[in-house]
Structures are given as C-alpha cells and as structure tokens.
Amino acid sequence: MTKAVFIVGNKRSGSTHFMHLLNLHPNIFVSNESDIIWILYRFHQNLEIIPYKWDTPVGMNRTLEKYTHLLSKDKTPLENFITLQTTIMKDGVKGQPPMQKDNLLWIGDQKPFQQIDPDLLPFIKANFPDAKYLHLIRHPFPVVRSSKVFKAGVLWQGMTEDDILQRWTMHEQWVDGEKSKHEVPLLDVKYEDIVEHTQPAMAKVF
C-alpha cells in the first residue's frame, strides 16, 4: 500500500535537490510544491481553499487549476492524496518529467512549512497515520543568504536578515515541538550531508 512521506523544515534548505534525489528511487515520488496537504486540509473541512499564510500560492493555484476535478468528498484524504499525487507524477510538473512507477510505495510533496505546521498536524496525523517525516535541516546563515539572493523569492521580499532568521527559527521550533511528543517517525537529514556525502546519506534515508 502506498504511504505518505513528508519533507519538513525550512525552505532554501536544499529541499528541491533532496526531492530530486528521493525521486531517483523506483518506489518513491515526491512532487514539487503541489500544496496537496493544505488543499486537502481545507477541502475536507469544507473551508474555502485560500492561500497558506506562511507561503506563496503558486503551487496551490497550479494544482487547483489542473486537478480540482479529481477531488472527491466520497474519498478519504489519503485516497485523494494518492489520486492527485499519482496523476501529477504521470503528468510531470515544473521541471519534473513525467514518471511511471508501477510499484509506488512512498509518495509525498516538497512543502516543508505546511507539513510540520502545528495547526495542520492533527489533520495529517489523523489521516496519514503511517506517514514518515524527513526533517531536512541546513545551517541558518546560508538559508538567510539564499533567501536574500533568490530572484524568485517573493516570499522574502521586504524582510530583513533578522526577519528571515526568526522565520527559520519558528519553523525549526515546530519540528522540535513535534519531536518532543514522540508521536511520528521523524528522521533528521543534514543538507551538508546530502551534498558532501550523498550516497551514505541517501542510503540512510532509503
């Protein structure tokens, strides 16, 4: 049975690179910011699907534009999750070529803020009980620098370096808070390790 895998932590921490490495495995697919958890969280609670407050709506809008017709109240959140994510995998999106993986065991989305948000986690835990969580962590100073120079980074426009560091701290505190509960399987993965020691780091993840 296909299960969920969630990348959690902070943006500008190498999550896109991590996503591509995960997708080299024949039994894993992780999409590039489909915002699927946020969409399902709002959809299954009969709430208007509005942008997530800590992120831009680009991924959400892209998914809703192409795949809203696949959402069904007759399906569980997990069933909707698998339906949409599998379709995205086969279609390809945002630099990801179409993929065909016949024995898909793990499926997820690259959306580190949303998938560790304390407001969303009760919904995630209730509907994805067998999920695993990959905490990708990068030293905050490079994260701040990357956020400041990222040309498409509208999320950080108008923010000072201190503002970005506070945001990094907030999201890492979300992770630490979840770790302290010992309720979900959560693996720390250092960005520096997947860059400098790729094979052993990814072998540990796989």
Side-chain angles (χ1 to χ4, degrees), residues 4 29 37 54 69 90 93 96 99 153 155 160 171 182 192:
F29 172 72
I37 289 298
W54 299 114
H69 66 284
K90 293 177 179 178
V93 64
Q96 289 182 293
M99 300 180 193
L155 184 63
T160 67
H171 293 133
H182 304 288
E192 291 80 6

Side-chain angles (χ1 to χ4, degrees), residues 119-134:
D119 291 335
L120 275 67
L121 272 171
F123 171 82
I124 296 173
K125 292 177 184 177
N127 293 286
F128 303 87
D130 297 318
K132 294 190 183 296
Y133 300 74
L134 301 173

Side-chain angles (χ1 to χ4, degrees), residues 1 38 69 83 117 134 178 189 193 199:
M1 180 180 176
W38 175 249
H69 66 284
T83 297
D117 188 321
L134 301 173
E178 196 53 42
V189 182
D193 286 344
Q199 187 170 347

Side-chain angles (χ1 to χ4, degrees), residues 5 22-30 89 99 101 103-107 205-206:
V5 58
L22 289 167
N23 283 337
L24 293 174
H25 196 289
N27 305 125
I28 301 172
F29 172 72
V30 178
M89 177 186 72
M99 300 180 193
K101 298 188 177 185
N103 187 25
L104 194 61
L105 300 180
W106 297 96
I107 194 164
V205 171
F206 291 147

Side-chain angles (χ1 to χ4, degrees), residues 54-148:
W54 299 114
D55 211 339
T56 65
V58 175
M60 181 193 79
N61 290 340
R62 183 176 60 227
T63 299
L64 291 175
E65 181 180 348
K66 293 191 66 174
Y67 302 111
T68 298
H69 66 284
L70 296 177
L71 293 171
S72 172
K73 290 287 174 58
D74 294 328
K75 293 181 178 179
T76 66
L78 178 59
E79 289 169 338
N80 275 320
F81 176 82
I82 292 173
T83 297
L84 266 72
Q85 292 298 93
T86 302
T87 305
I88 290 171
M89 177 186 72
K90 293 177 179 178
D91 288 350
V93 64
K94 195 184 175 184
Q96 289 182 293
M99 300 180 193
Q100 182 66 44
K101 298 188 177 185
D102 296 327
N103 187 25
L104 194 61
L105 300 180
W106 297 96
I107 194 164
D109 184 35
Q110 173 210 349
K111 211 65 182 181
F113 293 172
Q114 296 177 11
Q115 296 165 166
I116 200 63
D117 188 321
D119 291 335
L120 275 67
L121 272 171
F123 171 82
I124 296 173
K125 292 177 184 177
N127 293 286
F128 303 87
D130 297 318
K132 294 190 183 296
Y133 300 74
L134 301 173
H135 173 216
L136 181 63
I137 184 168
R138 184 183 188 186
H139 192 285
F141 292 173
V143 171
V144 171
R145 288 196 297 269
S146 178
S147 303
K148 293 293 289 183

